[in-house]
Amino acid sequence: MNWTDTTHRYSLSNCQHLGQPCPAAERMLSRLAAALGQARAVTTDDFEIAGNCELTACDRPCQARFAASHDRIRIYCGISPEVDQGSLDQFADALFCQTANSRPITCLPQYPCGLAQALPLTPQPARTAAALQSVPA
């Protein structure tokens, strides 16, 4: 599932247990994006917050990991705290097609049952009065 609001472009994979995007991951992703927006004025560009939590969207409690910065927010559903973050990022990069760089995905001891990502929208250049004037023929 993909959508855009006024600040971010969101992507959620289907949960392997629900067969659809996890509503708890969707709520968490939106709230992390809002929190980072509020923290923008009092944090530096390299600010990051990461941690583990439990998502409860169905009858199976789901351990999840999140990593949020001003550049990207990701949630890895169904992952234990011991799984290597770099390998998880590489796996998510392959799924979300972040770059054109093709590299083999590291074999993970545990794969996420779902992924969620939010990327900030790039500001559009302001239109000036000169740009809005018609060009004479």
Side-chain angles (χ1 to χ4, degrees):
M1 174 170 74
N2 298 301
W3 78 97
T4 303
D5 66 11
T6 58
T7 61
H8 287 80
R9 184 176 65 243
Y10 301 89
S11 300
L12 271 79
S13 71
N14 282 346
C15 169
Q16 293 177 8
H17 304 292
L18 294 174
Q20 64 186 25
C22 173
E26 180 182 348
R27 285 189 303 274
M28 183 173 180
L29 191 63
S30 294
R31 289 180 181 153
L32 281 170
L36 280 171
Q38 291 177 342
R40 182 58 135 156
V42 293
T43 57
T44 59
D45 287 342
D46 62 349
F47 174 78
E48 182 175 307
I49 186 168
N52 298 294
C53 63
E54 184 174 300
L55 300 176
T56 54
C58 61
D59 59 351
R60 13 175 353 131
C62 179
Q63 291 297 314
R65 182 184 306 174
F66 64 91
S69 70
H70 293 300
D71 294 328
R72 177 181 72 198
I73 303 167
R74 282 191 175 157
I75 301 171
Y76 307 88
C77 304
I79 288 295
S80 68
E82 294 81 33
V83 177
D84 175 63
Q85 184 66 45
S87 298
L88 285 172
D89 285 336
Q90 189 178 4
F91 180 76
D93 286 346
L95 179 71
F96 291 126
C97 301
Q98 286 298 297
T99 63
N101 298 337
S102 177
R103 55 187 178 165
I105 297 173
T106 305
C107 182
L108 293 170
Q110 180 183 20
Y111 289 90
C113 65
L115 291 170
Q117 174 176 272
L119 298 174
L121 297 176
T122 55
Q124 298 298 315
R127 298 183 96 183
T128 64
L132 297 175
Q133 292 177 352
S134 62
V135 178

